[in-house]
Amino acid sequence: MDKPDYAKAVSFIYNEVQDLYGVGVKASYIPALKSVDSKQFAMTLVDDQKNIYSVGDDKVNFSIQSVTKVFTLCMALNEVGEEIWGRMDREPSGKSFDSLIRLEEHHGVPSNPFLNSGAIVIADILLEFYGKHVIDRYLSFLRTVTGNKKISIDKTIFLSEKVTGHKNYAFARYMKSFGNIINDIDDVLDVYFSFCSVSLNNIDLAKAFYFLMNKGESLDGTRITSHRHCKRINSLMFTCGTYDEVGDFAYLVGLPAKSGVSGAIGGCLPGHYSVSVWSPELNIKGNSVLGYKALELLTTIIDKSYLS
Ligand code: GLU
């Protein structure tokens, strides 16, 4: 089969989604996210030959938010392995990312590592493992997978999350009461907020997902993780990666992907391409309106003859 014309696909999609501005709203519970210009969209695809196809506002930096949870999970699997599943499950929660209900029902055990509660446990695990080097190690991981040595934390976002992250403190305290958080709550939350506050652009994000489509090897040939871990992370993204809309997302898009409240979504089609989209306006479930549509179009039109 001929290779799809990805260049044509992304520029077609760029035009198609332009009418969707104003349908969604930006996340406002983290005040710093409100000041981002709403009318922005970027889409980047990296194919299996390492060609990069990119359109829109792809050089504008944004905070990674929950997409970070893919990479922190990968680090925890690399360093600690399957033991992490003693502290969280691998099931979609059927609730919003910041709901306390399931956590209470499950006695302080998060339903999956892509919920805030699950990612806070991962932050605790990585803090335990790396100690005071945890943030440096994380930045170094992201610099390797993106190939961008300048990846760093946006301090304004970090502080904005810290002063308004009351629910995240509630999750951590609640889990600590069951012994599912080991370290000091403030230290764990500082690590968690730092993970979410990493600043990058859409091209960085598509590159970062490359190892997940490429059996664990990044664009520059570094082994990031095993093929086995990639399979598992991709499965978790497919079942738990796009909030309480994951069933519809799987039905309409059909890719393993992780979204975040900054309007970013990263994903891949294993063996074929990694892809990222970014546009700040979100639907009611927390997924980027333009980004979601762009991915749905990508997997729908890619083999159609009008693109060849
Ligand atoms: N930093 C955000 C929070 O903790 C991440 C939420 C998200 O992107 O889903 O609420």
Side-chain angles (χ1 to χ4, degrees), residues 179-235:
N180 203 12
I181 293 291
I182 314 294
N183 293 282
D184 174 78
I185 300 284
D186 288 316
D187 293 345
V188 175
L189 266 294
D190 277 359
V191 170
Y192 169 77
F193 294 136
S194 300
F195 288 165
C196 296
S197 306
V198 167
S199 172
L200 39 56
N201 68 36
N202 201 58
I203 298 175
D204 295 325
L205 196 60
K207 289 179 174 175
F209 273 79
Y210 185 88
F211 76 93
L212 288 162
M213 85 93 187
N214 190 39
K215 299 180 179 171
E217 222 175 85
S218 65
L219 265 174
D220 70 355
T222 306
R223 171 136 307 273
I224 304 300
T225 194
S226 63
H227 184 193
R228 182 188 170 96
H229 284 159
C230 284
K231 187 191 86 172
R232 297 195 156 158
I233 295 165
N234 284 334
S235 301

Side-chain angles (χ1 to χ4, degrees), residues 132-288:
K132 63 180 187 337
H133 302 294
V134 59
I135 304 302
D136 284 345
R137 293 302 291 262
Y138 187 56
L139 289 175
S140 149
F141 179 101
L142 284 182
R143 287 171 186 156
T144 304
V145 290
T146 57
N148 180 353
K149 303 296 167 222
K150 294 196 175 130
I151 296 281
S152 57
I153 288 163
D154 182 328
K155 297 268 162 45
T156 308
I157 297 277
F158 171 83
L159 287 173
S160 191
E161 296 218 27
K162 194 171 153 80
V163 296
T164 56
H166 309 299
K167 278 192 181 171
N168 288 323
Y169 284 98
F171 288 132
R173 288 205 177 283
Y174 193 71
M175 292 190 288
K176 193 154 178 98
S177 75
F178 288 95
N180 203 12
I181 293 291
I182 314 294
N183 293 282
D184 174 78
I185 300 284
D186 288 316
D187 293 345
V188 175
L189 266 294
D190 277 359
V191 170
Y192 169 77
F193 294 136
S194 300
F195 288 165
C196 296
S197 306
V198 167
S199 172
L200 39 56
N201 68 36
N202 201 58
I203 298 175
D204 295 325
L205 196 60
K207 289 179 174 175
F209 273 79
Y210 185 88
F211 76 93
L212 288 162
M213 85 93 187
N214 190 39
K215 299 180 179 171
E217 222 175 85
S218 65
L219 265 174
D220 70 355
T222 306
R223 171 136 307 273
I224 304 300
T225 194
S226 63
H227 184 193
R228 182 188 170 96
H229 284 159
C230 284
K231 187 191 86 172
R232 297 195 156 158
I233 295 165
N234 284 334
S235 301
L236 280 163
M237 284 199 285
F238 197 71
T239 53
C240 308
T242 44
Y243 303 120
D244 188 25
E245 196 173 31
V246 73
D248 268 344
F249 190 92
Y251 185 74
L252 295 172
V253 177
L255 298 177
K258 179 76 200 88
S259 49
V261 292
S262 53
I265 310 177
C268 67
L269 180 59
H272 294 267
Y273 56 78
S274 59
V275 64
S276 61
V277 283
W278 169 65
S279 188
E281 292 178 344
L282 310 178
N283 68 17
I284 191 118
K285 300 286 187 176
N287 289 309
S288 167

Side-chain angles (χ1 to χ4, degrees), residues 96-120:
S96 73
F97 67 97
D98 61 351
S99 166
L100 268 159
I101 294 172
R102 283 277 185 271
L103 204 55
E104 181 169 19
E105 285 170 352
H106 294 130
H107 309 290
V109 175
S111 297
N112 68 68
F114 295 152
L115 294 168
N116 284 11
S117 52
I120 291 168

